[in-house]
């Protein structure tokens, strides 16, 4: 997968010979670095902490695996901590990392509102800080260095594909509605869904009404809340579904199928592909027609590579490291390397 960088065009491979091999466990409580100064890469004491929201979701499991694999290659220690959706735990784990003077901190924040607090804490401690997946800004509105995806571009890809499928099906706005599902107070979700809506409207011959469903980005919440919307719209014949992540899209598609809507009357386009592809792998007739493939492995790997390079070189982290994505469906997901969970 290719990566673009706003302030650096390429990151060189850090030779394994330059580092002593050390791979951390997946939980917190690693041995502290020197209390006097951050450890140097290659000293055997470099520890990078990766704090993740919703660490049990497959994308973030993959991200942790990518981070650990890259850390092993580079001879640095990575401690991965699952924060769930707990912002208080995010703060306490950050404080714990600072107290043991780790070399770098990467965070997927449970709530972007804690950005100023966590950025300022890391800055005051002199520890490099990198936002992963969800952008964070400090008290002055300045963005922390970021690794992840471009939300608007992702939404554009999803909406464009959904419009293509809609046109091919020869559906009309009169008998169709769109379910746009995801967390409404998370900037990347807003970007993805707004991008999908705009691209669909641009690409469709006539765009149906969009029903926006706010969820916590879990399958269960999407299923439950979509179910209520479907009950209130039983006269609708055809449905287009997309959302912030695979959990949102597959949850809504499942709700439709549970309500008796035939797969032929559902055009679902996922975002992630790791859940969307389960029906394809089982050769099931499904409303999940396509998905934008994103790799948590690549993001986790890139985050560690960027952080390790910054620690080694004493240079600023790149402002942005953006991952490419591509569309998959039942015909090509295996060849593209999608792992279904």
């Amino acid at each position: 997968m290719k990566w673009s960088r706003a302030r650096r065009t390429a990151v060189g491979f850090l030779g394994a010979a330059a580092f002593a091999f050390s791979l951390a466990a997946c939980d917190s409580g690693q041995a502290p670095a020197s209390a006097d100064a951050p450890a140097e890469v290659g000293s055997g004491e470099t520890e990078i902490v990766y704090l993740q929201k919703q660490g049990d979701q497959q994308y973030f499991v993959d991200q942790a695996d990518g981070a650990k694999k890259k850390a092993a290659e580079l001879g640095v220690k990575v401690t991965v901590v699952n924060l769930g959706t707990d912002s208080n735990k995010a703060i306490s784990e950050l404080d714990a990392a600072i107290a043991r003077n780790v070399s770098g901190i990467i965070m997927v924040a449970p709530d972007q509102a804690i950005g100023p607090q966590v950025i300022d804490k890391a800055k005051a401690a002199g520890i490099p800080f990198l936002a992963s997946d969800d952008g964070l800004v400090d008290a002055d509105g300045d963005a922390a260095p970021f690794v992840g995806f471009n939300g608007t571009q992702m939404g554009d890809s999803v909406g464009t594909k959904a419009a293509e499928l809609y046109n091919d099906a020869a559906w009309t706005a009169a008998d169709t509605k769109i379910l746009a599902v995801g967390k409404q107070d998370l900037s990347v979700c807003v970007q993805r869904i707004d991008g999908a809506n705009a691209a669909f409207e641009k690409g469709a011959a006539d765009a149906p009404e969009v029903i926006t469903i706010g969820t916590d980005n879990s399958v269960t919440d999407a299923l439950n809340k979509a179910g209520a919307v479907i009950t209130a719209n039983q006269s609708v014949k055809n449905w287009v579904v997309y959302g912030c992540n695979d959990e949102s899209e597959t949850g809504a598609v499942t709700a439709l199928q549970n309500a008796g809507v035939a797969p032929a009357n559902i055009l679902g386009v996922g975002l992630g592909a790791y859940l969307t592809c389960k029906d394809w792998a089982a050769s099931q007739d499904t409303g999940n027609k396509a998905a934008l493939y994103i790799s948590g492995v690549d993001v986790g790997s890139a985050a560690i590579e960027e952080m390790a390079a910054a620690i080694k070189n004493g240079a600023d982290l790149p402002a942005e490291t953006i991952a490419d994505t591509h569309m998959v469906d039942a015909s090509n997901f295996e060849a593209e390397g999608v792992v279904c969970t």
Side-chain angles (χ1 to χ4, degrees), residues 55-98:
D56 57 345
Q57 286 193 359
Q58 189 59 44
Y59 169 82
F60 292 114
V61 173
D62 292 344
Q63 184 180 83
D65 288 344
K68 287 181 277 188
K69 182 178 180 181
K70 179 57 66 174
E73 291 175 7
L74 301 180
V76 301
K77 198 182 273 190
V78 61
T79 302
V80 179
V81 181
N82 178 11
L83 305 174
T85 58
D86 190 343
S87 292
N88 290 329
K89 184 174 182 180
I91 300 299
S92 64
E93 291 289 352
L94 180 88
D95 287 341
I98 290 172

Side-chain angles (χ1 to χ4, degrees), residues 20 25 59 65-66 92 100 129 244-245 269 308 323 326 332 334:
Y59 169 82
D65 288 344
S92 64
R100 64 178 185 270
F129 181 90
C244 180
N245 57 4
V269 181
H326 53 282
N332 68 350
E334 290 179 314

Side-chain angles (χ1 to χ4, degrees), residues 39-330:
E40 294 287 325
V41 171
S43 70
E45 296 181 295
T46 299
E47 181 185 3
I48 299 170
V49 174
Y50 212 130
L51 306 175
Q52 295 179 310
K53 71 175 184 183
Q54 297 175 301
D56 57 345
Q57 286 193 359
Q58 189 59 44
Y59 169 82
F60 292 114
V61 173
D62 292 344
Q63 184 180 83
D65 288 344
K68 287 181 277 188
K69 182 178 180 181
K70 179 57 66 174
E73 291 175 7
L74 301 180
V76 301
K77 198 182 273 190
V78 61
T79 302
V80 179
V81 181
N82 178 11
L83 305 174
T85 58
D86 190 343
S87 292
N88 290 329
K89 184 174 182 180
I91 300 299
S92 64
E93 291 289 352
L94 180 88
D95 287 341
I98 290 172
R100 64 178 185 270
N101 203 26
V102 300
S103 301
I105 298 171
I106 305 167
M107 178 180 283
V108 190
D111 185 344
Q112 289 174 304
I114 68 173
Q117 187 175 2
V118 297
I119 293 170
D120 289 348
K121 280 176 175 282
K123 183 177 181 180
I127 297 175
F129 181 90
L130 180 64
S132 175
D133 297 273
D134 301 335
L136 298 174
V137 298
D138 63 18
D140 295 323
D142 295 325
F146 171 81
V147 59
F149 299 96
N150 184 301
T152 301
Q153 290 179 3
M154 294 166 77
D156 181 84
S157 296
V158 168
T160 297
K161 182 63 176 180
E164 174 189 319
L165 293 170
Y166 174 80
N167 291 335
D168 289 346
W171 293 353
T172 66
D175 59 10
T176 306
K177 287 192 178 181
I178 298 171
L179 295 181
V181 189
K183 202 168 189 297
Q184 294 178 314
D185 61 352
L186 183 60
S187 65
V188 292
C189 285
V190 174
Q191 291 164 5
R192 293 171 189 179
I193 291 174
D194 284 353
N197 288 340
F200 188 96
E201 185 173 357
K202 181 179 178 181
D206 61 338
E209 175 190 354
V210 177
I211 301 175
T212 301
I213 302 176
T215 72
D216 63 6
N217 276 352
S218 70
V219 172
T220 301
D221 203 33
L223 192 156
N224 291 337
K225 291 182 177 175
V229 171
I230 296 160
T231 298
N233 290 271
Q234 295 186 39
S235 63
V236 177
K237 179 182 178 182
N238 301 313
W239 294 89
V240 176
V241 183
Y242 46 72
C244 180
N245 57 4
D246 246 26
E247 286 77 6
S248 299
E249 184 268 345
T250 57
V253 168
T254 300
L256 285 165
Q257 295 183 171
N258 287 349
V261 180
N265 297 107
I266 305 169
L267 298 177
V269 181
L271 201 160
Y274 48 87
L275 294 180
T276 319
C277 69
K278 291 175 70 174
D279 289 347
W280 307 336
S283 300
Q284 293 181 351
D285 191 15
T286 177
N288 295 309
K289 299 301 195 296
L292 188 67
Y293 177 42
I294 60 176
S295 172
V297 171
D298 288 333
V299 172
S301 174
I304 294 297
E305 186 171 14
E306 298 287 20
M307 183 62 77
I311 294 167
K312 177 190 176 187
N313 300 325
D316 291 340
L317 286 157
E320 287 188 331
T321 304
I322 303 297
D324 286 341
T325 61
H326 53 282
M327 196 63 62
V328 297
D329 58 26

